[in-house]
Amino acid sequence: MAERYDCTQCRGSLYGKKYIMREEHPYCIKCYEALFSSNCTVCKKLISCTSKDLSYKDRHWHGDCFLCNKCSRSLVDRPFATKNDMLMCTDCYCKEYSAKCHACQKTIMPGTKKMEHKGNSWHEKCFICKYCQQPIGTMSFVKKETNNYCLGCYEKHFALQCVHCKKPITTGGVSYRDQPWHKECFVCTGCKQQLAGQRFTSRDDLVYCLDCFCNMFAKKCAYCTTPISGLGGSKYISFEDRQWHNDCFNCKKCCLSLVGRGFLTAKDDILCPDCGKDI
């Protein structure tokens, strides 16, 4: 007696019938389609085992249903793209969604390298320096008006030169007496501290922070011996060859303030008239 050859699922005989092998197990056409065939994403009908099943990201199509959602052109054996799960030929996708090159105004095709800056896009070969016409790529560049310049060309043609070091100023410059400086070059003549954003003064065309200026040039208070800057409208008392801070101009004996009052001198001391009667 001949050995039976049956469908793995329904156990029906497969002798004289078409069947499909899956993992070394035979299935009749009906069982195979019920178990393993997919429904078409477009028409929702079963994709039979005798039809071409086109799949992409867990979705399936009949060959006749695998079409561009915009122009209905067949995508079988053609490149395609997706947007919000919609299939599109590359032409339709580019018209709808691809960026235009800011230089040549042509479409930047999906998958090609592009350069982006502040909302604009370029083909890699179109992203070039306005002057030297060399590709900028990932190098540093400066945008001026509507054009891009490599750092070398920008410094050569546009950048101001620091009055101190004579090198181009590309960022963080300081203007003093209508002359440009790097922030790091605009420093106190005395202590070399950067003066950008700080109070400072000058003497003989040299700039100083307030501390250095006071220590080097300011008169010393006859009482506390610290410098009297006189800067910023601060008030002080001057008598003969001596100066005092307002707060230091007091009677030596009773400490009464002598600002706006009469006073007497006794050697290096100043006295109010009452205390001066005793000398």
Side-chain angles (χ1 to χ4, degrees), residues 14-214:
L14 297 176
Y15 280 111
K17 298 180 180 179
K18 291 182 178 180
Y19 64 91
I20 298 174
M21 296 293 294
R22 183 181 176 92
E23 297 178 354
E24 299 183 358
H25 297 292
Y27 294 88
C28 66
I29 299 299
K30 183 177 180 181
C31 288
Y32 182 88
E33 290 181 344
L35 291 171
F36 306 115
S37 293
S38 302
N39 288 324
C40 176
T41 300
V42 175
C43 70
K44 310 303 181 185
K45 294 180 180 179
L46 186 75
I47 302 173
S48 71
C49 59
T50 58
S51 299
K52 192 172 185 178
D53 183 341
L54 300 173
S55 63
Y56 176 71
K57 290 187 176 180
D58 298 326
R59 293 188 295 164
H60 298 263
W61 293 263
H62 291 106
D64 293 339
C65 295
F66 196 58
L67 307 174
C68 172
N69 278 72
K70 292 291 182 181
C71 68
S72 299
R73 182 167 56 175
S74 174
L75 299 177
V76 177
D77 297 326
R78 292 177 182 271
F80 64 92
T82 61
K83 184 72 174 181
N84 299 327
D85 290 333
M86 291 193 305
L87 296 175
M88 282 179 280
C89 63
T90 53
D91 289 343
C92 289
Y93 183 88
C94 289
K95 289 178 183 178
E96 291 284 333
Y97 303 109
S98 288
K100 298 290 192 298
C101 176
H102 191 65
C104 70
Q105 297 303 309
K106 293 181 180 179
T107 298
I108 301 175
M109 297 297 290
T112 59
K113 192 171 183 179
K114 66 178 178 179
M115 312 303 293
E116 294 181 312
H117 178 66
K118 293 187 176 180
N120 292 322
S121 301
W122 291 262
H123 292 108
E124 186 178 20
K125 66 179 182 180
C126 294
F127 191 58
I128 60 176
C129 171
K130 175 69 175 178
Y131 266 104
C132 68
Q133 298 294 300
Q134 294 301 307
I136 294 174
T138 57
M139 296 188 301
S140 297
F141 71 97
V142 179
K143 186 175 183 66
K144 181 176 175 62
E145 296 174 351
T146 59
N147 298 313
N148 300 314
Y149 300 89
C150 66
L151 201 55
C153 286
Y154 180 83
E155 290 178 350
K156 180 178 179 181
H157 293 280
F158 300 109
L160 296 172
Q161 285 193 338
C162 174
V163 70
H164 175 72
C165 69
K166 310 304 180 186
K167 294 181 180 179
I169 301 172
T170 54
T171 58
V174 174
S175 179
Y176 176 64
R177 291 184 176 176
D178 296 325
Q179 292 181 316
W181 303 67
H182 288 114
K183 280 186 177 181
E184 56 270 24
C185 292
F186 191 61
V187 297
C188 171
T189 304
C191 66
K192 307 305 179 185
Q193 175 187 351
Q194 289 189 26
L195 297 177
Q198 307 294 325
R199 294 183 65 196
F200 64 92
T201 188
S202 64
R203 183 184 177 96
D204 299 328
D205 292 329
L206 300 176
V207 288
Y208 299 88
C209 67
L210 296 190
D211 287 342
C212 285
F213 182 84
C214 290

Side-chain angles (χ1 to χ4, degrees), residues 237 239 249-252 254 256-265 270-276:
I237 307 298
F239 177 70
F249 194 59
N250 303 321
C251 174
K252 178 67 175 181
C254 69
L256 177 71
S257 173
L258 299 178
V259 177
R261 298 172 180 268
F263 62 91
L264 301 172
T265 61
I270 53 173
L271 304 168
C272 66
D274 290 339
C275 293

